[in-house]
Amino acid sequence: MFPYEKYLRFSKFPHIWCTGCGCGIILKSILRAIERIKLSKNDIALVSGIGCSSRTPGYVDFNTLHTTHGRAIAFATGLKLAKPALKVLVISGDGDATAIGGNHFIHAARRNLDITVIIYNNHIYGMTGGQASPTTPIGKKGSTAPYGSIEPSFDISGLAIAAGASFVARATCYHVVQLDKYLEKGFMKKGFSLIEVLAPCPTYYSRPNRLGTSVDMLRWYKENSIPVEKARTLSEYEKKDKIIIGILEDRERPEFCEEYKKMAERIRKS
Amino acid sequence: MAKQNVNAKLMTGNEACAEAAIVAGMRFFGGYPITPSSEIAEVLAHRLPEVGGIFVQMEDELASMATIIGASLAGVKSMTATSGPGFSLMQENIGYASMTEVPCVIVNVQRGGPSTGLPTLPAQADVMQARWGTHGDHSIIVVAPSTVRETYDWTIKAFNLTEQYRIPVIVLLDEVIAHVNEKMVIPEPETITIIDRKRSTESPDTYQPYKQNDSDIPLFADFGTGYRYNVTGLSHDETGFPTNDPQKINALYSRLSRKLERYQDQIIEYKTEYLKDAEICIVAFGSSARSAYRAVRLARQQGIKVGMFQLFVIWPFPYKILGRLASQIKAFIVPEMNLGQIAHEVSCAIKSDVIKVNRVDGSLITPNEILERIKNVSV
């Protein structure tokens, strides 16, 4: 049995998440990945915004910072620049990171700041009661899209790649073995890394959309996900409505803290 | 030839603000360009890498405010600078800094508003926004220098105040002070007092980030130094974790506002001139105070018993001090480049009406405009 108690603040339990929520699955995967890279708890800062996933910092024994809606990455930027030795992780949701916090998300990726952002994508605003988010698929219902959403949804991973992230991976709450691996790689990668995780929200996404229980959602992820390597051989038609999982981007780009340090050294020499 | 003072420089208020911040120990600036504050960012973009500090131009003012809080949590003195519209965008996270008691300094070089308003012209219209711009009951300190030298001194004091009380401090400048070039004698380093936040020496095992103590100001611990604690904008208890317990919530909000009430006598500063025998009192701050001093001196030459009360600290407001003056003073005149924001507070303090001298057209209030009012009252 993995020693989760090493990392959890059990005194803060019970947690606020619903039965069948994906938040716990992802949290456990994060802890396993942290254990594998042997980081000290003192050297980890976990930063979040507002939403269901953003309640995670309260339950884990790191330096934890629960900020304002959408701004986690901006807080994390100051923390990381002021103390580059800290391993700074950001936990966010689809609404927090790509609606209200979209600007910070793309600019941190553009700067290639050495932080890891983990986005729990459940296609809905769970904390506030099931309103449509930027990743609610067309036709799917939310409390503010009672006739089904008519807005195209964001491709979160695609956005990060286009903005300049060094490392981008997508997994689902079914594919936890892969998720462990992607998180570990993301944590180790110098530069901005994004791990997008599709997560079930049985309360506010599955129920109004008649998608069944959390287990049904996990089964749906299993049956509709295709590895990125296979996806590259498929036509757009064949990939339609499929979840493409895997390491979508892994490249070397200058990292912001290091570039700043180099600039400062150059100035002080001259 | 007269002896030259090597420390004398020609400087603008924005330059003085940036240089003073470095002297105060500020090593992290996050900001977004906006007139008429941009020179503060420009000077610091140049200077901070030289002194081992961080300058980062953020994507907007929401991010600027957030990033300086993040840096301050790592133990680094942090600052941002902006103007009206940007100041509006910062308000939510100013509330976060107030709630979580993270020291930081926000410089607001005021312009006329609302909205885009008058970007290149002076105004003093953010007196109320500086105090009540963020939602909820909260503590905040607002200072307002009127000259380049005062900007230097009050930027350093702003850092001292935020470090000492763990309350965000806002420095209100205006376009005139920000851009005017004045002779400025840089004070000798040994004459400058620098205050750093009190840090916990307790073991991380027993440390509580918001533990009640006699001072009402909790002891700080830098992120990443072994003190693994939680910071949240939610109502929290002494351990830093969210709580819905009415008693604990009440204890938090009471302490947050008590901090300001309890220390207000130490925080409030003002300057008076000719007030001893005065029958008329001018209350002014920022660049309006410059015109007011001139008007007072001109009136004194004409034998009118008028005195000057210059506010350096606007919030907390010196209600008691002005209230005590009310028995001696026949009339209070309040010149300001807004439609009566400070006049309202003076009126509350003296429990009577005041004479308002207002301009909101981007022009300075002239000494003559104030002098005319003084003469009208004195006859």
Side-chain angles (χ1 to χ4, degrees):
Chain A
M1 173 75 183
F2 182 84
Y4 294 107
E5 65 280 2
K6 178 176 162 189
Y7 296 104
L8 292 172
R9 289 165 171 157
F10 274 123
S11 64
K12 302 301 164 193
F13 281 27
H15 58 68
I16 62 157
W17 299 315
C18 306
T19 306
C21 174
C23 287
I25 296 173
I26 305 170
L27 173 57
K28 286 171 83 175
S29 190
I30 291 170
L31 298 181
R32 288 191 299 268
I34 285 171
E35 174 76 11
R36 272 206 271 183
I37 57 169
K38 303 203 180 333
L39 272 177
S40 157
K41 292 195 284 185
N42 288 335
D43 297 333
I44 297 172
L46 194 68
V47 187
S48 72
I50 297 293
C52 294
S53 60
S54 288
R55 284 304 189 93
T56 305
Y59 307 126
V60 287
D61 187 19
F62 304 126
N63 302 279
T64 54
L65 180 58
H66 177 229
T67 72
T68 48
H69 197 19
R71 316 294 163 217
I73 293 172
F75 279 81
T77 301
L79 192 55
K80 179 69 185 177
L81 284 168
K83 203 157 241 174
L86 272 177
K87 174 61 75 180
V88 178
L89 316 178
V90 173
I91 287 183
S92 190
D94 40 299
D96 192 51
T98 68
I100 191 166
N103 206 22
H104 315 309
F105 178 55
I106 55 174
H107 285 278
R110 174 181 64 82
R111 290 185 191 104
N112 204 29
L113 181 73
D114 185 26
I115 59 174
T116 300
V117 178
I118 304 143
I119 298 182
Y120 300 25
N121 180 4
N122 61 8
H123 310 293
I124 210 84
Y125 285 89
M127 178 75 80
T128 45
Q131 297 80 16
S133 90
T135 62
T136 303
I138 289 180
K140 288 287 186 285
K141 287 177 184 170
S143 63
T144 50
Y147 309 110
S149 174
I150 55 167
E151 296 183 23
S153 64
F154 252 145
D155 171 357
I156 297 177
S157 292
L159 195 57
I161 294 168
S166 271
F167 181 90
V168 177
R170 187 190 287 120
T172 79
C173 278
Y174 174 77
H175 300 89
V176 284
V177 177
Q178 292 93 322
L179 179 58
D180 283 17
K181 195 175 73 185
Y182 302 157
L183 286 165
E184 188 186 337
K185 286 201 172 204
F187 294 161
M188 298 301 287
K189 185 76 186 184
K190 183 64 90 178
F192 187 91
S193 52
L194 166 78
I195 290 92
E196 177 189 356
V197 194
L198 271 69
C201 175
T203 309
Y204 286 118
Y205 184 66
S206 303
R207 194 155 56 191
N209 286 301
R210 300 182 187 281
L211 296 170
T213 64
S214 195
V215 175
D216 293 323
M217 280 297 285
L218 293 178
R219 188 178 297 117
W220 191 84
Y221 293 149
K222 180 191 170 190
E223 288 165 359
N224 290 280
S225 295
I226 44 176
V228 62
E229 295 78 14
K230 191 185 170 194
R232 290 196 181 111
T233 68
L234 300 177
S235 68
E236 285 306 311
Y237 178 77
E238 288 168 311
K239 284 189 287 192
K240 195 172 177 290
D241 296 330
K242 297 290 180 197
I243 305 162
I244 296 162
I245 60 167
I247 295 169
L248 309 176
E249 186 60 79
D250 187 359
R251 59 187 165 188
E252 304 306 318
R253 284 186 66 229
E255 190 276 324
F256 187 57
C257 295
E258 286 188 352
E259 291 304 303
Y260 192 92
K261 204 175 147 203
K262 276 192 232 165
M263 176 186 74
E265 279 165 7
R266 205 168 60 228
I267 292 162
R268 271 175 275 175
K269 267 185 211 148
S270 61
Chain B
M1 207 174 109
K3 196 184 162 200
Q4 271 191 324
N5 187 335
V6 288
N7 283 338
K9 278 187 178 162
L10 203 56
M11 270 180 139
T12 66
N14 279 348
E15 286 165 351
C17 176
E19 290 297 339
I22 290 173
V23 170
M26 187 276 291
R27 290 295 179 271
F28 189 98
F29 181 94
Y32 188 81
I34 186 166
T35 304
S37 79
S38 300
E39 296 83 4
I40 296 173
E42 287 166 357
V43 172
L44 291 169
H46 194 88
R47 293 280 285 123
L48 277 170
E50 290 178 343
V51 297
I54 301 281
F55 169 90
V56 58
Q57 183 170 319
M58 295 303 286
E59 50 274 14
D60 56 32
E61 286 89 349
L62 303 115
S64 303
M65 192 57 220
T67 206
I68 68 165
I69 298 170
S72 185
L73 274 167
V76 180
K77 290 187 187 178
S78 304
M79 172 173 116
T80 189
T82 189
S83 182
F87 193 50
S88 295
L89 290 177
M90 288 177 182
Q91 290 301 333
E92 184 190 11
N93 285 332
I94 291 174
Y96 186 91
S98 186
M99 179 68 146
T100 56
E101 300 173 77
V102 177
C104 55
V105 171
I106 303 103
V107 181
N108 174 15
V109 186
Q110 297 166 95
R111 58 157 82 179
S115 190
T116 314
L118 290 162
T120 58
L121 297 172
Q124 298 177 303
D126 297 345
V127 170
M128 286 299 167
Q129 196 197 3
R131 179 63 192 91
W132 294 114
T134 198
H135 60 283
D137 288 308
H138 63 278
S139 285
I140 202 113
I141 296 170
V142 183
V143 304
S146 75
T147 65
V148 172
R149 173 59 199 259
E150 283 173 14
T151 301
Y152 191 92
D153 295 344
W154 277 97
T155 302
I156 294 171
K157 284 189 188 184
F159 278 98
N160 288 347
L161 289 167
T162 197
E163 290 286 318
Q164 186 166 2
Y165 300 111
R166 295 186 63 178
I167 295 173
V169 176
I170 289 157
V171 181
L172 281 186
L173 301 180
D174 62 56
E175 194 274 334
V176 168
I177 308 159
H179 287 158
V180 71
N181 266 291
E182 282 183 326
K183 183 183 165 188
M184 151 86 204
V185 179
I186 295 178
E188 295 295 338
E190 58 273 15
T191 65
I192 298 170
T193 307
I194 305 288
I195 297 171
D196 291 328
R197 66 193 76 169
K198 281 207 180 104
R199 288 174 164 88
S200 177
T201 51
E202 202 178 328
S203 155
D205 299 332
T206 52
Y207 174 71
Q208 294 186 352
Y210 298 103
K211 194 173 175 185
Q212 176 68 47
N213 62 32
D214 292 343
S215 71
D216 282 327
I217 304 157
L219 297 173
F220 195 84
D222 297 359
F223 260 41
T225 55
Y227 292 83
R228 295 187 307 273
Y229 63 99
N230 188 56
V231 176
T232 177
L234 285 164
S235 298
H236 45 270
D237 59 17
E238 294 181 45
T239 68
F241 288 94
T243 182
N244 280 330
D245 179 334
Q247 255 187 324
K248 289 177 180 171
I249 295 168
N250 192 50
L252 171 70
Y253 287 110
S254 305
R255 184 178 59 73
L256 288 178
S257 79
R258 195 165 62 237
K259 265 202 308 190
L260 200 57
E261 284 161 24
R262 174 174 171 179
Y263 294 108
Q264 59 174 319
D265 291 346
Q266 280 111 292
I267 298 168
I268 289 171
E269 277 193 53
Y270 54 92
K271 189 169 116 187
T272 61
E273 201 175 282
Y274 300 116
L275 212 52
K276 215 165 205 177
D277 64 341
E279 292 167 358
I280 303 163
C281 175
I282 316 286
V283 182
F285 70 99
S287 56
S288 297
R290 302 165 71 110
S291 299
Y293 275 116
R294 176 84 183 141
V296 167
R297 282 163 206 159
L298 290 171
R300 279 280 168 178
Q301 283 168 14
Q302 298 175 27
I304 303 170
K305 286 184 175 171
V306 56
M308 176 73 191
F309 191 103
Q310 183 192 353
L311 301 157
F312 286 130
V313 174
I314 295 182
W315 302 108
F317 193 79
Y319 294 106
K320 275 186 283 182
I321 296 154
L322 283 165
R324 281 199 292 270
L325 269 179
S327 57
Q328 168 201 335
I329 301 292
K330 271 199 322 203
F332 284 85
I333 300 175
V334 185
E336 52 186 328
M337 287 184 283
N338 61 52
L339 290 175
Q341 297 186 22
I342 282 290
H344 180 262
E345 297 314 299
V346 178
S347 190
C348 287
I350 65 166
K351 298 187 170 57
S352 173
D353 287 342
V354 299
I355 297 157
K356 300 197 285 183
V357 184
N358 307 113
R359 278 196 93 137
V360 287
D361 58 358
S363 311
L364 278 174
I365 298 170
T366 64
N368 267 338
E369 284 173 83
I370 303 170
L371 184 62
E372 285 309 307
R373 295 300 177 93
I374 295 171
K375 285 201 233 163
N376 285 347
V377 179
S378 68
V379 288

